[in-house]
Amino acid sequence: MTPGPLLGANLTNGGQSVSAPMQIVILLTLLTLLPAAVMSVTPFLRITVVLHFLRQALGTQTAPSNQVLLGLATFLTILVMQPVAVDMYHQGWEPLDQGKLSASAAFEQGTQPLRAFLLRFTREKDIQTLVEITHAPAPRTPADLDLKILVPAYMLSELKAGFQIGAVLYLPFLVIDLVVASVTVSVGMMQLPPVMLSAPFKVLLFVLVDGWNLVIGSLMKGFFR
């Protein structure tokens, strides 16, 4: 009996169909690696880092909750990555499903849009560092970069960008903390933690300047520039 297609695609190896147990193993492996892949090669990484810094700067502890922040980051990531995913589908999955390309060729074709996206937001310095660490030959063009180098370099660049944005977000709230701490010390309110007094002022400032719109708008504009 000929094994059925895996998610609609006929996986072949040298003209022979991959067995049904092997297709199940491949599918389960892909599903296991999917969360790590989503966090590694999408804007999800930067968005979650920035939202975490924002919550810490506001001093609201668990508001918004982790579920809310992760849900927001997920939908924003889908918004950014939808055009890339559509291009990957048309260039890689469709030819594989129609039998026009082998699995390896379809993978190579399908990863081209993702490679272009990663290159847009990866610093040359991070790429150089990874190339030196792996002792890989220097690529002649960006298209020659291997994904095993490009992906961690992209992650390093996104972490740097996320921490930079987080540091900028901290500054205005840090000023409020310093002012409130100075006032409480000057009036002798040593028994009352300054954080309890500064938290309402920080939330009020954030609401007055429409902080969510500013933060999310700036993040999204960075990816759509």
Side-chain angles (χ1 to χ4, degrees):
M1 182 177 65
T2 304
L6 176 64
L7 296 180
N10 294 315
L11 300 182
T12 60
N13 183 14
Q16 298 180 348
S17 298
V18 179
S19 63
M22 184 56 67
Q23 290 189 14
I24 295 174
V25 170
I26 294 174
L27 178 59
L28 292 177
T29 302
L30 292 176
L31 290 177
T32 303
L33 297 176
L34 182 61
V38 169
M39 290 186 291
S40 301
V41 299
T42 66
F44 187 86
L45 176 59
R46 184 194 301 189
I47 295 172
T48 51
V49 169
V50 171
L51 293 180
H52 173 76
F53 270 108
L54 176 60
R55 187 173 65 180
Q56 293 296 318
L58 285 171
T60 54
Q61 302 300 325
T62 58
S65 65
N66 288 332
Q67 291 83 353
V68 172
L69 295 183
L70 291 176
L72 178 61
T74 299
F75 282 105
L76 293 177
T77 301
I78 293 174
L79 180 65
V80 176
M81 294 302 296
Q82 182 180 4
V84 180
V86 171
D87 290 341
M88 293 176 66
Y89 176 81
H90 289 313
Q91 296 185 27
W93 191 267
E94 277 189 347
L96 175 65
D97 187 23
Q98 298 169 2
K100 297 179 180 179
L101 294 175
S102 63
S104 59
F107 176 81
E108 184 65 27
Q109 285 291 107
T111 55
Q112 292 304 316
L114 178 62
R115 189 188 302 271
F117 174 82
L118 298 180
L119 284 171
R120 284 177 55 197
F121 302 102
T122 305
R123 299 188 308 159
E124 184 178 348
K125 183 179 180 179
D126 294 325
I127 295 176
Q128 182 180 356
T129 300
L130 268 298
V131 170
E132 292 175 354
I133 291 175
T134 57
H135 301 288
R140 291 176 296 179
T141 63
D144 296 333
L145 278 171
D146 197 336
L147 281 177
K148 67 182 180 182
I149 294 177
L150 187 56
V151 170
Y154 169 80
M155 294 178 67
L156 291 176
S157 300
E158 288 295 277
L159 285 173
K160 177 180 174 60
F163 273 73
Q164 286 177 334
I165 298 173
V168 173
L169 288 174
Y170 250 108
L171 292 178
F173 300 113
L174 180 60
V175 172
I176 295 178
D177 285 332
L178 292 175
V179 171
V180 172
S182 299
V183 172
T184 55
V185 170
S186 63
V187 299
M189 299 174 60
M190 305 297 297
Q191 71 279 6
L192 187 62
V195 177
M196 294 183 61
L197 293 176
S198 63
F201 291 102
K202 290 190 289 187
V203 173
L204 179 62
L205 172 64
F206 190 72
V207 172
L208 289 176
V209 300
D210 198 5
W212 287 111
N213 184 278
L214 291 175
V215 173
I216 301 303
S218 299
L219 275 173
M220 292 296 99
K221 288 176 182 177
F223 290 109
F224 284 102
R225 67 176 185 268

